[in-house]
Amino acid sequence: MKKKNHLRKPLSPPKFLALGFAAIVLIGTFLLKLPIASSDGTSTPFVDALFTAVSATSVTGLVVVDTGTHWSFFGQIVLLLLIQIGGLGFMTSATWVALMFNRRISLRERMILQEAMGHTQMSGIVDLIRRALIYSIIIEAAGAILLTIRFAMDMPLSEAMYLGIFQSISIFNNAGFDLMGLHHGPFSGFPAYVADPYVNLVLMALIFLGGIGFIVIFDLIEYPKTRKISLHSKVVLTVTSTLIVLGAVLLFILEFSNPRTLGPLSTPVKMMASLFQSITPRSGGVSTIDISGLQQSSQFFMVILMFIGAAPGSTGGGIKVTTFAILIGAVVAMIQGKRDVVLFRNRIAQAVVYKSITLTILSLLLLVGASMFLSVTEQGDFLIILFEAVSAFATAGLSMGLTPELSDIGKVTVSSLMFLGRLGPLTLAYALSRHNHKDLYRHPEGKIIIG
């Protein structure tokens, strides 16, 4: 009898989310493998279809085939749906459908939504989802209109509208898929618009808004009324802005005379390109210069930016800017001999500090193991392989050109990194926060020499 009850026990929210994402990936793989999904009417190899489905669902943007030239209109629509579901989260999308039919959201579903959104409390979670969907539609529609206006100068209006809609949804969800291969050649990206301030500003705004998360967006919208910003939003905005400015300055200095990147550009365009390349590691997945042409110092710096990633509850990946802020706060507290980690005059709970350290170390271990494995299975310099691994895990979508050259086992490995990067830290954080069992005793204190 106990065994039957155990078997009927509902899945925990982390398991439910993982299985849900896996189901979406499998459905996407099946649809992308259909002959109708490719532009030439042939069936795409299973590994390539799987890789693309994982990349779209995890809103990464790494591709083994060019999005614009390989996939048909049907295939591109499938990708767009996977990106939208992956960016918002399948539970968020399912909740939207349920709300449309006035169905009541159960307590268990609210717990899963809280996990999916990275929210600190369950109260108001349904309202948060409703507003997230509304703001997503508004931002994506605005981005589509603005991009359509610009693209209409270079192509027919119907084509410009489709391109504008696709790129707005892809960029806001930090997916990084683009259709530029139709106009500038396979895997071309946005270098043709490196000197176009209009396109740059629209894309940067979409990446930024998608990377800071809905909770921060809500705080900013409500600020004129409340005159208050939560600690979470203060940390996200401060760290994100600091990393963007620091990244832009460093890339400008490091690449100023590089003939393969900023060298041939005018000074104003160099500044704009540096800013764009500093914002896109938030998980944007698009670039306006050749990433493989960057100096090694710049490439490694971008690896660090990708590893840090975006904000919790956003469409971006990485260990998250809040985790990074807590780690820096812990270092400062230790150096100053203080007991507590304090951010903006608020003490951070010790459990949260431990969780941040655990997430970072586990992420580093995973990347070290994956990079070593890829260095055995793939051909290329280690920095190129490391860049690929971090980009996949952080769902950043940037590549130095290794992705199309991956072996089948390399594609599976990178696909696993993308999947774990989208779910792993989130699931682990939930598991750690729910196991609050306290020992009834404490072990004797031991002495260990460090440093």
Side-chain angles (χ1 to χ4, degrees):
M1 191 72 178
K2 290 183 178 179
K3 187 175 182 180
K4 288 184 179 179
N5 290 336
H6 176 71
L7 291 175
R8 292 177 183 175
K9 184 179 179 180
L11 292 172
S12 64
K15 291 181 181 178
F16 187 87
L17 288 173
L19 291 175
F21 267 103
I24 297 298
V25 167
L26 291 177
I27 294 172
T29 302
F30 170 76
L31 293 175
L32 291 175
K33 192 166 170 35
L34 295 174
I36 193 178
S38 65
S39 57
D40 59 4
T42 60
S43 179
T44 301
F46 175 78
V47 175
D48 291 349
L50 174 65
F51 186 99
T52 306
V54 174
S55 183
T57 307
S58 64
V59 288
T60 301
L62 292 176
V63 292
V64 290
V65 293
D66 180 65
T67 306
T69 57
H70 178 82
W71 302 109
S72 65
F73 176 74
F74 174 82
Q76 292 168 5
I77 294 300
V78 171
L79 286 177
L80 211 55
L81 291 174
L82 292 176
I83 290 169
Q84 190 70 81
I85 294 173
L88 290 174
F90 80 95
M91 268 305 297
T92 304
S93 304
T95 302
W96 179 62
V97 175
L99 291 174
M100 286 180 61
F101 290 96
N102 293 321
R103 190 178 73 82
R104 184 177 179 276
I105 309 301
S106 67
L107 177 62
R108 172 173 163 71
E109 290 169 337
R110 292 170 190 264
M111 292 175 62
I112 297 174
L113 286 170
Q114 180 189 359
E115 161 71 359
M117 294 295 292
H119 204 34
T120 55
Q121 56 188 10
M122 196 183 304
S123 61
I125 190 66
V126 175
D127 182 59
L128 178 66
I129 298 299
R130 184 183 290 107
R131 295 170 67 188
L133 289 166
I134 293 173
Y135 292 148
S136 293
I137 293 172
I138 292 174
I139 294 172
E140 289 173 355
I145 293 172
L146 292 173
L147 290 175
T148 297
I149 293 172
R150 174 61 184 86
F151 293 148
M153 300 177 184
D154 303 328
M155 60 192 74
L157 180 60
S158 59
E159 190 175 345
M161 287 179 63
Y162 175 63
L163 186 60
I165 292 171
F166 188 98
Q167 296 305 158
S168 180
I169 294 175
S170 175
I171 302 302
F172 173 68
N173 286 286
N174 282 196
F177 284 82
D178 68 78
L179 302 181
M180 293 300 125
L182 288 169
H183 308 280
H184 306 290
F187 305 105
S188 55
F190 286 90
Y193 296 95
V194 64
D196 190 319
Y198 184 93
V199 173
N200 275 260
L201 288 174
V202 173
L203 295 184
M204 285 190 289
L206 288 171
I207 295 172
F208 179 79
L209 291 173
I212 60 176
F214 293 109
I215 297 174
V216 179
I217 293 176
F218 299 157
D219 273 0
L220 292 177
I221 292 175
E222 295 295 327
Y223 179 75
K225 297 180 182 178
T226 63
R227 293 295 174 181
K228 293 181 180 179
I229 294 184
S230 66
L231 174 63
H232 169 81
S233 296
K234 288 180 181 178
V235 172
V236 168
L237 292 173
T238 301
V239 177
T240 300
S241 301
T242 301
L243 290 175
I244 288 174
V245 173
L246 177 63
V249 172
L250 283 178
L251 289 173
F252 181 80
I253 294 172
L254 293 172
E255 299 297 322
F256 187 87
S257 58
N258 185 348
R260 297 184 61 186
T261 54
L262 302 185
L265 307 175
S266 64
T267 299
V269 176
K270 287 179 181 179
M271 295 172 64
M272 183 170 63
S274 299
L275 181 62
F276 191 99
Q277 265 54 237
S278 180
I279 290 178
T280 195
R282 299 277 76 73
S283 197
V286 292
S287 60
T288 56
I289 60 175
D290 181 15
I291 299 298
S292 63
L294 292 170
Q295 305 281 4
Q296 286 191 343
S297 54
S298 300
Q299 292 167 347
F300 186 72
F301 180 66
M302 291 189 77
V303 166
I304 297 173
L305 292 179
M306 289 190 296
F307 181 73
I308 295 171
S314 71
T315 56
I319 62 171
K320 303 296 189 291
V321 291
T322 48
T323 302
F324 178 70
I326 291 172
L327 294 177
I328 296 298
V331 171
V332 172
M334 178 62 67
I335 293 175
Q336 295 179 345
K338 296 181 178 179
R339 181 178 179 181
D340 297 321
V341 175
V342 177
L343 299 176
F344 292 98
R345 298 183 179 179
N346 285 266
R347 176 174 56 84
I348 307 301
Q350 193 176 55
V352 177
V353 177
Y354 284 155
K355 188 191 301 181
S356 300
I357 295 172
T358 303
L359 288 174
T360 304
I361 292 177
L362 288 178
S363 299
L364 286 172
L365 290 175
L366 176 63
L367 285 172
V368 168
S371 299
M372 291 179 65
F373 183 76
L374 287 172
S375 67
V376 175
T377 63
E378 311 305 315
Q379 299 295 324
D381 295 336
F382 183 73
L383 181 57
I384 297 177
I385 292 173
L386 176 66
F387 193 100
E388 193 83 7
V390 175
S391 179
F393 174 76
T395 68
L398 297 175
S399 177
M400 292 168 62
L402 179 62
T403 310
E405 308 297 328
L406 289 171
S407 63
D408 284 349
I409 191 170
K411 293 174 184 176
V412 173
T413 303
V414 174
S415 296
S416 300
L417 281 173
M418 290 188 289
F419 190 84
L420 291 173
R422 186 72 173 116
L423 284 177
L426 193 69
T427 304
L428 181 59
Y430 182 92
L432 291 174
S433 65
R434 287 295 182 262
H435 293 294
N436 293 324
H437 171 73
K438 294 183 179 180
D439 293 329
L440 300 178
Y441 60 89
R442 297 183 70 185
H443 292 283
E445 184 177 287
K447 303 293 184 181
I448 296 179
I449 301 173
I450 62 173

